[in-house]
Amino acid sequence: MDKVLKLRNLKVVFPSGHGIIRAVEGVDLDIHQGESVALVGESGCGKSVTSQSVMKLIESPPAMTRVDTIEFLGNDIKDYSAKQMQDIRGKDISMIFQDAMTSLNPVMTCGKQIDEMYIRHQGVSKKEAREYTIEALKLVGVPEPRSRAKNFPHELSGGMRQRVLLAMAFACMPKLIIADEPTTALDVTIQAQVLNLLRSMQKRHEMSLLLVTHDLSVVSNLADTVYVMYSGKIVEKAPVKALFQAPHHPYTVGLLASVPKLSDTEKTFSQIPGTVPHPMKKPSGCYFHPRCKFATDKCKNTMPPLTTLSENREVRCYYPLNLKKEATA
Amino acid sequence: MKKSYVIKRILYSIFVFGIVMTLNFFIPRIGVEDPAERYYPPQGNMSDIEYEIIKQVTRQQYGFDVSTWQQYLNYLTGLMEGNLGTSFRSGSPAVTDLIVDRLPWTLVLSVSTLLIGLIAGILFGVIAAMKRGRWQDTTLLNASTIMVALPGFFIALILSFYLGFEFEIFPAYTDPNMVSNFDWSLSAIQTVAENAALPVLSMAVGSIIGYAQGTRNAVIAVTNEDFILTAKAKGLKQNTIRYKHTLRNSMLPIVTSLGMSISGLIGGQVVIEQIFNWNGMGTLFLEANNMNDYPLMMGIMLLLSGFTILAILITDLIYVLLDPRVTVGDKR
Ligand SMILES: Nc1ncnc2c1ncn2[C@@H]1O[C@H](COP(=O)(O)OP(=O)(O)OP(=O)(O)O)[C@@H](O)[C@H]1O
Ligand SMILES: [Mg+2]
């Protein structure tokens, strides 16, 4: 498999009057062609900042970004100029955001907002662009695309709006799609529809997907590989099946336990005790140790490194769990 | 959907104007024993009997000799015909004629102020937003802070003193022959422009800074909106984002504030006209006030309220053009 994205040692901080917010602390990310990668973690752990950094969309100032490598299709785009990045964005990497209501320009028709993609990246006329737009809307299952294209965002339902965002992201058939919590704003049935659509489009066109979510339950049938993020650091990386069968990091175990399962007769909703550390007051040692029942003095004092356990499995913990389980799996 | 909204909006404005017309008629009559009292000339050395006759005649002359209801109907039919009553001035000129003479001169000032304020204000606001935190932005912030503390007439006095008297760049007093000599010739128009310079500038300084600050804040607010990030993620060029996405959305709050600021402009202009001796509606109003010329005062008030309602209507209609969401009734 060819590598589409190779991110090495991404660090993003936000200096503020009260201190420094270390949003991302040395994240590595690999995405291969046709692969779907999920980035999972609680709110505020740095998922959005990481995913937007891939497209170099994090403005500095206010942010300060350091990265060793951002390799996209074999080219290091780390030092690309703003102009060069504009040519890549939308065309080779595109993004789907969480809330289609606020992510679409309220005073521009949905059609026009998709047209812009073709006009910008394929240099076609407005008229041709509209024909492409209608095709794209058809592809994502928008009924009566010609008249829907003339609607403003507020005139469509939440599901339809999200499909408009999907059509926009797929417009130029990019190599990589980044979807940042693409369905959080939708209700559950529509969520499943949109996610399945996203997955099938991605598979059919051999694209790569970076799916950002705080919800492990959607990951199982959408992702091939999962990165678990905690407080700005990757704490576990694993193929999706292996992760669900044998989560190694206590945080992942906690996350999985809080996913409600269909088999659960009584609705126990286990939660990880404690809260996410404040981004300006991170604890010493392992950031997770104050919430971890297995923590020792070692965990309190030194940050464990991200260690490779087996092929494709990495974990940032001195005492990984479920090691035997994997052997049997 | 849009059409019905426009019609509804127009009907609503007419309704509001109807209320204003009615209030304009009834308020001077509330709690007064004899509503015609203000219209009587002073008694002087007339005997009571003589004065009673004079009062009788006055009541007849100004239409107070019929029932209040009939007076109201007469007032409304008069308005339909553009008749605002007769002034107390010698020769009993029609209020409408007095107003029509002065109105264009007032509009010259207000319209130029509005245009200059809007164009320059939006331009400066966009620049300040683009250069956020740099000297262009801090200058604007300081100017706004100073403006809050500075009454409009004070600016007028400073400008009139320096640009008018000290350096004699523009006339500090309006040429008294400007109106009577006006004949649409190029030189006459130039005279008007020269004489209007200081009053317009005095009023425009405030509007420019006000609109600039409003535009700057709106542009920055829109820049932080999610859809601007979407536009960037689409790879759109900076200018496309700026003009097609940011600016149009930033204009929405400006248009909303426009209707209200126009009524403020009308109020401020009364003072400015006085300072520069400009023969407009403001001066006319003060003249009427000094002479206790009630019909004239009421006529001017009614007209100004009408203008305000019209201004708000027009800005609302512009808003509909800019923001498709209005028609569903959730104007932000
Ligand atoms: N523009 C900014 N200025 C200051 N701090 C920021 C900024 N953007 C993000 N942060 C901080 O960076 C950290 C990571 O934010 P990020 O948006 O990546 O979280 P997230 O994992 O996407 O969370 P969520 O699930 O809520 O979207 C947070 O602590 C946030 O406060
Ligand atoms: Mg986020």
Side-chain angles (χ1 to χ4, degrees):
Chain A
M1 275 198 293
D2 287 338
K3 219 172 240 183
V4 171
L5 181 78
K6 179 176 153 190
L7 185 69
R8 287 294 173 272
N9 199 19
L10 172 72
K11 290 179 179 160
V12 184
V13 300
F14 294 94
S16 81
H18 312 283
I20 291 176
I21 294 177
R22 281 173 291 151
V24 180
E25 300 184 45
V27 163
D28 295 353
L29 211 58
D30 287 288
I31 302 176
H32 299 91
Q33 198 195 335
E35 188 187 22
S36 169
V37 170
L39 186 58
V40 185
E42 278 167 298
S43 183
C45 70
K47 305 182 298 287
S48 297
V49 172
T50 303
S51 60
Q52 285 171 28
S53 296
V54 169
M55 285 172 94
K56 302 218 284 179
L57 279 174
I58 299 288
E59 299 272 348
S60 76
M64 291 196 329
T65 304
R66 290 276 172 283
V67 64
D68 291 349
T69 318
I70 313 179
E71 215 172 271
F72 179 67
L73 297 175
N75 304 314
D76 195 344
I77 61 172
K78 186 180 79 174
D79 297 319
Y80 269 26
S81 67
K83 267 222 169 78
Q84 285 174 301
M85 283 314 296
Q86 280 168 15
D87 289 337
I88 292 180
R89 289 183 197 135
K91 182 163 155 272
D92 298 319
I93 312 178
S94 67
M95 199 139 186
I96 302 167
F97 293 96
Q98 173 174 348
D99 186 352
M101 187 70 211
T102 58
S103 300
L104 290 169
N105 185 340
V107 303
M108 197 187 260
T109 62
C110 294
K112 254 197 189 147
Q113 298 187 53
I114 306 173
D115 294 349
E116 279 186 330
M117 291 291 274
Y118 298 107
I119 295 169
R120 167 71 179 90
H121 294 297
Q122 298 180 358
V124 298
S125 70
K126 278 186 187 177
K127 238 182 163 171
E128 288 173 282
R130 182 48 60 92
E131 291 311 313
Y132 288 133
T133 294
I134 287 162
E135 278 310 306
L137 284 173
K138 224 183 261 170
L139 220 60
V140 295
V142 172
E144 297 176 62
R146 195 170 290 274
S147 61
R148 285 295 83 77
K150 289 182 197 136
N151 282 136
F152 289 97
H154 73 271
E155 294 169 331
L156 300 181
S157 68
M160 282 302 137
R161 273 198 294 269
Q162 204 65 35
R163 281 167 203 263
V164 169
L165 275 193
L166 249 60
M168 204 148 84
F170 282 106
C172 299
M173 290 298 158
K175 303 288 179 305
L176 174 62
I177 299 233
I178 300 173
D180 191 346
E181 316 228 13
T183 57
T184 316
L186 303 174
D187 58 52
V188 186
T189 41
I190 314 232
Q191 243 181 50
Q193 282 175 17
V194 171
L195 286 174
N196 290 336
L197 178 66
L198 182 62
R199 177 63 159 166
S200 71
M201 293 276 286
Q202 173 252 333
K203 269 194 169 158
R204 189 175 336 141
H205 300 283
E206 281 268 296
M207 296 172 183
S208 308
L209 175 67
L210 176 60
L211 179 70
V212 173
T213 177
H214 62 259
D215 184 1
L216 253 184
S217 66
V218 305
V219 160
S220 55
N221 42 25
L222 283 174
D224 305 313
T225 308
V226 181
Y227 285 79
V228 180
M229 199 167 176
Y230 187 78
S231 199
K233 282 181 179 288
I234 300 295
V235 295
E236 182 157 12
K237 175 200 170 185
V240 68
K241 261 206 184 122
L243 187 89
F244 275 78
Q245 273 167 2
H248 288 338
H249 199 283
Y251 178 61
T252 316
V253 174
L255 275 185
L256 279 170
S258 59
V259 172
K261 287 188 202 76
L262 283 176
S263 56
D264 279 357
T265 39
E266 74 246 62
K267 277 188 185 157
T268 47
F269 205 74
S270 38
Q271 295 246 297
I272 308 168
T275 52
V276 187
H278 188 276
M280 267 183 265
K281 288 179 227 136
K282 295 191 182 181
S284 62
C286 173
Y287 291 158
F288 188 63
H289 88 254
R291 300 172 77 185
C292 181
K293 57 183 169 189
F294 309 104
T296 63
D297 280 349
K298 191 177 174 190
C299 304
K300 282 177 191 141
N301 297 324
T302 52
M303 166 68 74
L306 195 60
T307 351
T308 308
L309 291 183
S310 58
E311 202 202 344
N312 272 325
R313 290 219 69 168
E314 290 171 28
V315 64
R316 188 186 291 281
C317 183
Y318 291 124
Y319 313 104
L321 306 168
N322 301 319
L323 285 181
K324 278 201 199 109
K325 219 171 173 180
E326 176 159 53
T328 58
Chain B
M1 216 150 69
K2 220 163 208 182
K3 211 168 174 183
S4 72
Y5 176 82
V6 169
I7 292 170
K8 226 164 58 189
R9 203 60 201 74
I10 291 174
L11 289 180
Y12 177 72
S13 297
I14 293 173
F15 171 70
V16 172
F17 188 66
I19 290 179
V20 169
M21 276 192 318
T22 309
L23 289 180
N24 200 43
F25 175 83
F26 280 108
I27 284 181
R29 284 172 171 76
I30 289 171
V32 212
E33 218 170 281
D34 181 2
E37 202 178 311
R38 297 195 186 99
Y39 290 71
Y40 303 146
Q43 187 169 4
N45 48 16
M46 278 179 267
S47 71
D48 280 358
I49 298 169
E50 273 177 323
Y51 192 50
E52 208 45 58
I53 294 168
I54 292 289
K55 278 159 100 173
Q56 195 74 38
V57 173
T58 310
R59 274 204 290 271
Q60 247 165 37
Q61 187 184 347
Y62 290 101
F64 285 100
D65 52 343
V66 291
S67 70
T68 311
W69 182 238
Q70 188 59 45
Q71 284 175 39
Y72 181 58
L73 287 182
N74 292 345
Y75 163 78
L76 288 185
T77 41
L79 283 185
M80 297 299 154
E81 293 160 359
N83 178 7
L84 291 166
T86 42
S87 158
F88 288 177
R89 293 185 177 198
S90 62
S92 301
V95 167
T96 314
D97 291 343
L98 290 174
I99 289 178
V100 166
D101 275 352
R102 302 285 185 97
L103 188 59
W105 298 103
T106 278
L107 287 180
V108 166
L109 293 195
S110 351
V111 172
S112 339
T113 303
L114 193 65
L115 287 181
I116 292 174
L118 267 181
I119 294 170
I122 290 172
L123 196 71
F124 290 155
V126 170
I127 292 173
M130 270 158 43
K131 308 273 176 185
R132 185 176 182 183
R134 285 191 253 167
W135 68 265
Q136 296 92 332
D137 191 23
T138 39
T139 308
L140 175 62
L141 184 69
N142 292 333
S144 315
T145 318
I146 295 171
M147 275 309 292
V148 174
L150 222 56
F153 73 85
F154 193 70
I155 297 172
L157 290 177
I158 292 174
L159 288 177
S160 131
F161 182 74
Y162 283 103
L163 298 184
F165 291 111
E166 278 287 300
F167 301 110
E168 296 183 349
I169 297 170
F170 295 114
Y173 274 119
T174 309
D175 180 356
N177 298 321
M178 179 184 82
V179 174
S180 50
N181 289 349
F182 190 73
D183 56 1
W184 289 107
S185 68
L186 215 60
S187 68
I189 291 174
Q190 197 188 340
T191 310
V192 174
E194 277 168 10
N195 283 289
L198 286 187
V200 167
L201 202 58
S202 311
M203 291 190 286
V205 172
S207 320
I208 291 173
I209 294 174
Y211 288 130
Q213 191 65 33
T215 305
R216 178 235 179 234
N217 294 345
V219 168
I220 286 177
V222 173
T223 308
N224 292 327
E225 294 270 0
D226 289 349
F227 61 82
I228 296 298
L229 187 62
T230 309
K232 281 183 197 158
K234 281 158 82 176
L236 298 182
K237 297 212 165 106
Q238 205 166 35
N239 278 341
T240 315
I241 298 177
R242 196 172 285 158
Y243 296 114
K244 295 221 169 122
H245 294 270
T246 312
L247 215 51
R248 183 157 170 205
N249 279 283
S250 311
M251 285 305 102
L252 299 177
I254 304 297
V255 174
T256 314
S257 70
L258 203 58
M260 291 322 284
S261 63
I262 286 175
S263 61
L265 191 68
I266 290 172
Q269 196 163 333
V270 175
V271 183
I272 299 294
E273 286 188 3
Q274 198 61 14
I275 291 173
F276 292 100
N277 212 25
W278 184 271
N279 257 329
M281 299 273 289
T283 316
L284 187 66
F285 184 78
L286 290 179
E287 286 167 15
N289 188 52
N290 291 339
M291 293 190 288
N292 286 335
D293 192 344
Y294 290 106
L296 184 53
M297 273 177 3
M298 283 168 58
I300 294 174
M301 300 259 258
L302 186 65
L303 189 79
L304 294 188
S305 331
F307 265 116
T308 310
I309 293 170
L310 189 67
I312 293 175
L313 173 66
I314 291 174
T315 50
D316 270 9
L317 295 185
I318 295 175
Y319 199 99
V320 181
L321 280 182
L322 289 178
D323 190 345
R325 285 166 299 182
V326 178
T327 46
V328 293
D330 66 346
K331 180 168 163 182
R332 289 200 295 182

